[in-house]
Amino acid sequence: MQYGPAVRRRKLGAELRALRARAGLKSGEAARLVGWHQSKVSRIETGRSGVKPTDVELLLDAYEVRDAELRELLVVLAGSDDNGRHHWWHAYRGLLSSAYSDFISLESQAGVMRTLENSVVPGLLQTPEYAREVTRAAMGGAPDGEVDALVEVRLARQDVLRSNPPLRLSAVLDEAALRRTVGGPAVMARQLEHLGEAAQLPHVRIQVLPFGVGAHVGVTGPFVIFSFPSTSDLDVVVLDHLTSSLYLERKEDLQAYSEAFDSLQVHALSPEETLDFIAGVAHGA
């Protein structure tokens, strides 16, 4: 069973602890209700131990949690859906790192995603051709079959924008992401066209930070903020590095990055101006 990195275990444990307290139960009382030793409840709540989806269901039943959306989210964080079936990305588990699998899991359940990209178009907005060129460059000589599989994963991730309800995506792109030629003029032309189409979706907000803005709070690197519909306690910031991902969960980190993103949106072009800007870049302006 794959439980994901420690951040997910801690967040899941903290939420289960809060639900137990809300139910007016001590950890020993909760343990007796589900037939466990108290130490197991304590290990789960402190994130020292992983927890199976079926065990999460037992605890939620004991705490009389009826919110279907919250139950589904917590079960997914434990590793599988409520019927014990793995999610689609588990078919690629031999290919994906645990950090990437965890990112996809969070992305699949988030209600809102805010992202800053400095050099490339965000994965959820990439065309297949653009995604292939970016993946090939990032993988440094990986076999074509592996590149193709990773592109399949990236395109499958985009289903969150077509789900019901869809993920609400707010993206701030540095102008460099539009100017950088990836895969040649034809690939870039289609990518810019696709970006303009996506920008007109009601649940997608795209803003460009033009070069004229100068230095800004996002020059230190791209980041993603995931927010969840049922509880803000599960919100998380993700910083992506070449060989790993860093998950920030402290309230002060979330506040700092949220304020940074708000500042970037203020300095960026409006969504309407961004559409015109994208069209201008596409036509060589």
Side-chain angles (χ1 to χ4, degrees):
M1 180 66 66
Q2 297 292 325
Y3 295 110
V7 63
R8 276 179 61 190
R9 292 200 303 270
R10 288 196 300 271
K11 283 188 164 295
L12 177 57
E15 185 63 20
L16 290 171
R17 183 171 62 250
L19 291 170
R20 173 179 59 74
R22 199 174 305 159
L25 297 170
K26 296 184 181 300
S27 58
E29 294 170 328
R32 283 193 294 274
L33 283 174
V34 295
W36 299 344
H37 192 278
Q38 181 179 357
S39 62
K40 179 173 180 177
V41 174
S42 297
R43 289 196 306 271
I44 290 172
E45 291 184 351
T46 56
R48 291 177 311 196
S49 173
V51 54
K52 296 178 181 178
T54 51
D55 287 345
V56 171
E57 291 279 12
L58 282 175
L59 291 172
L60 295 178
D61 288 343
Y63 305 157
E64 298 184 357
V65 177
R66 302 287 181 251
D67 185 330
E69 194 171 46
L70 178 58
R71 289 179 68 102
E72 180 184 5
L73 172 59
L74 297 180
V75 169
V76 167
L77 286 178
S80 301
D81 64 20
D82 54 1
N83 292 316
R85 295 188 300 265
H86 290 308
H87 291 272
W88 65 263
W89 55 90
H90 284 269
Y92 299 89
R93 60 186 177 276
L95 178 69
L96 307 180
S97 67
S98 60
Y100 192 19
S101 294
D102 194 66
F103 183 92
I104 296 172
S105 175
L106 293 171
E107 185 179 70
S108 72
Q109 288 297 310
V112 177
M113 176 178 176
R114 289 169 285 172
T115 182
L116 166 71
E117 280 290 354
N118 288 333
S119 60
V120 296
V121 172
L124 293 184
L125 301 174
Q126 293 178 5
T127 65
E129 297 79 14
Y130 184 99
R132 181 166 286 103
E133 293 300 326
V134 169
T135 302
R136 184 176 288 122
M139 293 301 293
D144 287 345
E146 186 173 338
V147 171
D148 290 344
L150 287 169
V151 172
E152 286 179 13
V153 170
R154 182 156 302 186
L155 298 180
R157 284 173 47 204
Q158 296 176 3
D159 282 346
V160 295
L161 297 178
R162 297 183 285 269
S163 60
N164 185 24
L167 174 74
R168 298 203 311 276
L169 173 65
S170 290
V172 174
L173 310 184
D174 192 281
E175 182 177 342
L178 306 184
R179 299 287 185 187
R180 186 181 307 280
T181 302
V182 174
V187 171
M188 281 306 299
R190 175 59 191 132
Q191 178 60 70
L192 291 171
E193 179 185 13
H194 179 68
L195 203 57
E197 293 168 352
Q200 298 180 65
L201 296 173
H203 53 282
V204 175
R205 179 186 178 96
I206 301 174
Q207 293 179 256
V208 169
L209 271 171
F211 290 145
V213 170
H216 54 77
V217 70
V219 294
T220 54
F223 60 85
V224 173
I225 307 172
F226 286 122
S227 298
F228 294 87
S230 299
T231 172
S232 62
D233 290 341
L234 294 173
D235 292 357
V236 64
V237 177
V238 184
L239 307 180
D240 217 10
H241 303 294
L242 183 62
T243 58
S244 63
S245 295
L246 178 64
Y247 290 74
L248 306 178
E249 56 183 319
R250 298 186 310 162
K251 290 188 182 299
E252 46 268 51
D253 291 327
L254 287 162
Q255 181 177 348
Y257 276 89
S258 293
E259 290 175 354
F261 192 81
D262 291 343
S263 174
L264 290 167
Q265 286 189 308
V266 168
H267 289 92
L269 300 176
S270 70
E272 295 74 23
E273 292 169 331
T274 291
L275 274 172
D276 292 338
F277 192 90
I278 292 171
V281 174
H283 290 92

